């Protein structure tokens, strides 16, 4: 039997250190919300491969669909020989689009690729160059997406010139003291000083900020952005890569606001563990790019497409939207008493939508100073007790939960109990 430490030594010798790993756990087997490492230790998984296996590790229906596909063909390149599953997935996503009117979709492999292409589509459709992103956003690690990402360390330091024509606005988050008025003022100032609105192709925003700290965009903010976009002919792109496909209790988190985006980027949970990403949008915008201008060798892989079709079935048949809302309530009920407690680690700012919930670890019970070091201790304690959980936030101060929506009652209860005890008495 291999040990985690043996594999870690090999990893350190062979793998570039730029890919960071949150734990020293090497996976051997995973089922639903359970992951077993190479030493036979079982963990309850509150990470879902960073929001990917929302339908659980190896959901039987997803596995069966992929197995069937593997017996037919695994790759043709959609640009050469097409296949029905790609079309069917586009039809199904178009029917679910969070806006009225005709929709079209296109598929890629990673989230960053979906964002790159959403921006490209928006630029071609509007004939404009500038793009507005938000503070503490995370959109990926390629040149364009890391420029859109609102965090220097570790994503862009020493990496050279950023992509041009990207502007930034503050992301309103009540607990961080950034108000809607701050956003309005910054928007007016941006249009006055830095970029004329008729040069702006798109505003891009995560419907619930993921890496930046699980901060939901409020309906008021979405309404403001939509209004300004409409006023100036700017497109609104919702990055639903972490928040989409049921995580928040709706298919897309922006649906909670009633505001309609023009383009939506999806990835992660879309194909239940297989690499697939997509952009869906208003048909007239999606068709702006000439044939050949979009795509990629692996984009919309047949294995990913059949997996995604199965994921959409599972979300409907297993009532995962309702389940997300229920799981969110359970998480809140477990964390609220810890915030109110007089002892244990001080935590605050419980927030999120549906099952996309996070909270901050702070230095003092009445204060706001983030304590990223304590988050690391809490997560290490939880791991020792058998729970996989990760952080996010500008200072690593937020503990975030991305529980598989298919988790059993027993694992949910045990996982929350481990987390609560790690917060109460970190080692
Ligand atoms: C909101 C959001 N956008 C984009 C990305 C980039 O996706 P990928 O890592 O698949 O390139 C992520 C990944 O965490 C994300 O959470």
């Amino acid at each position: 039997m291999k040990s985690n430490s043996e594999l870690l030594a090999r990893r350190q010798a062979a793998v570039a250190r730029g890919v960071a790993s949150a734990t020293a756990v090497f996976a051997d087997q995973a089922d639903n919300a359970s992951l077993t490492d190479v030493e036979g230790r079982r963990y309850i998984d509150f990470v879902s491969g960073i929001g990917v296996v929302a339908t659980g590790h190896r959901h039987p229906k997803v596995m069966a669909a992929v197995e069937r596909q593997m017996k037919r063909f695994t790759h043709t390149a959609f640009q050469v020989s097409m296949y029905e599953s790609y079309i069917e997935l586009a039809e199904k996503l178009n029917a679910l689009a969070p806006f009225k009117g005709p929709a079209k979709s296109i598929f890629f492999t990673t989230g960053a690729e979906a964002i790159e292409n959403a921006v490209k589509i928006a630029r071609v459709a509007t004939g404009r160059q500038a793009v507005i992103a938000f503070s503490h956003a995370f959109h990926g690690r390629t040149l364009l997406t890391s420029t859109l990402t609102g965090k220097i360390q570790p994503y862009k330091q020493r990496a050279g010139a950023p992509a041009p024509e990207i502007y930034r606005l503050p992301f309103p988050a009540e607990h961080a003291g950034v108000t809607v008025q701050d956003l309005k003022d910054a928007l007016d100032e941006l249009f006055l000083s830095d970029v004329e609105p008729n040069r702006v192709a798109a505003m891009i925003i995560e419907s619930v900020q993921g890496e930046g700290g699980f901060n939901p965009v409020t309906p008021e903010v979405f309404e403001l952005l939509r209004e300004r976009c409409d006023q100036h002919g700017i497109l609104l792109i919702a990055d639903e890569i972490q928040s989409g496909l049921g995580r928040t209790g709706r298919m897309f988190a922006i649906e909670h606001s009633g505001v309609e985006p023009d383009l939506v980027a999806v990835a992660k949970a879309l194909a239940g563990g297989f690499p697939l990403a997509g952009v869906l949008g208003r048909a007239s915008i999606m068709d702006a790019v000439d044939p050949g201008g979009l795509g990629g060798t692996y984009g919309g892989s047949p294995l990913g497409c059949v997996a995604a079709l199965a994921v959409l079935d599972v979300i409907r048949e297993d009532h995962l939207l309702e389940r997300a809302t229920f799981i969110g309530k359970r998480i809140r009920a477990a964390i609220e008493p810890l915030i109110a407690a007089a002892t244990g680690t001080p935590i605050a700012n419980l927030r999120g939508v549906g099952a996309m919930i996070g909270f901050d670890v702070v230095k003092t019970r009445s204060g706001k100073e983030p304590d990223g070091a304590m988050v690391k201790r809490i997560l290490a304690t939880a791991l020792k007790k058998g729970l996989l959980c990760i952080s996010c936030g500008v200072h690593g101060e937020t503990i975030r939960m991305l529980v598989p929506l298919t988790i059993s009652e027993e694992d949910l209860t045990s996982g929350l109990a481990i987390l609560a005890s790690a917060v109460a008495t970190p080692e």
Side-chain angles (χ1 to χ4, degrees):
M1 189 166 68
K2 299 232 158 78
S3 69
N4 288 313
S5 56
E6 187 190 330
L7 290 171
L8 186 61
R10 280 174 54 198
R11 179 237 207 259
Q12 279 160 352
V15 178
R17 64 189 191 100
V19 53
S21 303
T23 70
V25 168
F26 284 82
D28 181 53
Q29 172 82 34
D31 297 282
N32 199 6
S34 168
L35 186 144
T36 308
D37 74 7
V38 288
E39 296 174 13
R41 215 156 168 239
R42 179 183 183 266
Y43 299 88
I44 297 169
D45 186 354
F46 272 19
V47 184
S48 302
I50 322 187
V52 169
V53 288
T55 41
H57 289 281
R58 300 170 59 248
H59 191 287
K61 286 194 176 140
V62 177
M63 291 299 103
V66 172
E67 270 166 32
R68 278 195 302 275
Q69 181 59 40
M70 283 201 299
K71 291 188 183 126
R72 297 177 60 218
F73 57 92
T74 60
H75 178 79
T76 62
F78 190 74
Q79 290 95 323
V80 179
S81 310
M82 299 173 280
Y83 31 92
E84 187 180 353
S85 54
Y86 190 118
I87 320 262
E88 193 183 340
L89 183 60
E91 289 166 348
K92 293 223 160 122
L93 278 180
N94 296 343
L96 293 167
F99 50 80
K100 291 184 248 356
K104 280 196 168 185
S105 293
I106 181 164
F107 300 109
F108 305 99
T109 310
T110 66
E113 219 186 339
I115 299 294
E116 289 266 353
N117 282 283
V119 168
K120 187 178 196 176
I121 293 165
R123 282 178 165 159
V124 175
T126 57
R128 302 173 179 187
Q129 291 302 305
V131 176
I132 297 174
F134 287 80
S135 53
H136 311 147
F138 183 83
H139 297 292
R141 291 179 174 84
T142 59
L143 175 61
L144 174 61
T145 61
S146 67
T147 304
L148 293 169
T149 289
K151 192 174 178 186
I152 290 171
Q153 172 73 23
Y155 304 120
K156 6 188 187 187
Q157 82 283 9
R158 308 198 308 277
E165 292 289 0
I166 306 298
Y167 300 86
R168 196 169 303 285
L169 288 173
F171 183 101
E174 204 185 298
H175 73 277
V178 183
T179 64
V180 179
Q181 192 58 47
D182 293 334
L183 169 62
K184 277 187 188 154
D185 294 344
L187 200 84
D188 291 341
E189 185 57 35
L190 184 75
F191 287 163
L192 192 70
S193 315
D194 292 323
V195 59
E196 53 277 44
N198 64 6
R199 278 209 309 113
V200 180
M203 293 191 191
I204 179 163
I205 192 160
E206 292 158 88
S207 301
V208 181
Q209 265 192 346
E211 308 303 302
F214 272 31
N215 302 310
V217 178
T218 62
E220 189 188 4
V221 169
F222 263 133
E223 279 158 24
L224 171 70
L225 298 183
R226 185 70 268 177
E227 187 192 301
R228 295 299 168 96
C229 282
D230 289 345
Q231 194 182 347
H232 300 294
I234 298 169
L235 301 180
L236 182 60
I237 305 174
D239 179 343
E240 292 271 357
I241 287 168
Q242 198 159 153
S243 59
L245 281 304
R247 170 66 45 194
T248 68
R250 297 282 182 94
M251 195 53 89
F252 301 104
I254 193 171
E255 290 171 35
H256 293 279
S257 72
V259 167
E260 296 186 4
D262 300 299
L263 295 166
V264 182
V266 289
K268 288 192 185 281
L270 177 61
F274 292 85
L276 187 75
V279 178
L280 63 144
R282 298 184 191 278
S284 56
I285 297 168
M286 293 295 289
D287 274 339
V289 182
D290 289 336
L294 302 174
T297 304
Y298 294 105
S301 135
L303 299 179
C305 286
V306 296
L309 287 168
V311 162
L312 294 180
D313 285 347
V314 171
I315 291 175
R316 195 186 58 251
E317 288 162 10
D318 293 5
H319 309 288
L320 293 189
L321 303 186
E322 293 81 355
R323 190 83 191 129
T325 308
F326 170 79
I327 290 170
K329 284 187 185 146
R330 290 290 310 280
I331 295 172
R332 285 176 183 277
I335 304 303
E336 271 158 6
L338 301 172
I339 295 181
T343 56
T345 313
I347 62 168
N349 308 327
L350 183 62
R351 60 186 177 274
V353 197
M356 192 166 178
I357 305 267
F359 60 88
D360 293 341
V361 175
V362 285
K363 289 210 164 136
T364 54
R365 216 156 280 285
S366 51
K368 286 185 165 204
E369 204 184 335
D371 195 346
M374 182 55 89
V375 167
K376 285 200 174 112
R377 272 179 63 190
I378 291 169
L379 296 181
T381 306
L383 190 71
K384 257 191 179 169
K385 293 173 185 243
L387 176 72
L388 269 172
C389 198
I390 54 171
S391 63
C392 61
V394 186
H395 309 284
E397 75 277 34
T398 307
I399 294 183
R400 63 167 143 174
M401 270 147 288
L402 289 166
V403 178
L405 304 177
T406 47
I407 192 168
S408 69
E409 190 51 37
E410 199 188 340
D411 277 346
L412 181 61
T413 306
S414 309
L416 288 172
I418 293 174
L419 184 63
S421 91
V423 169
T425 48
E427 287 172 10

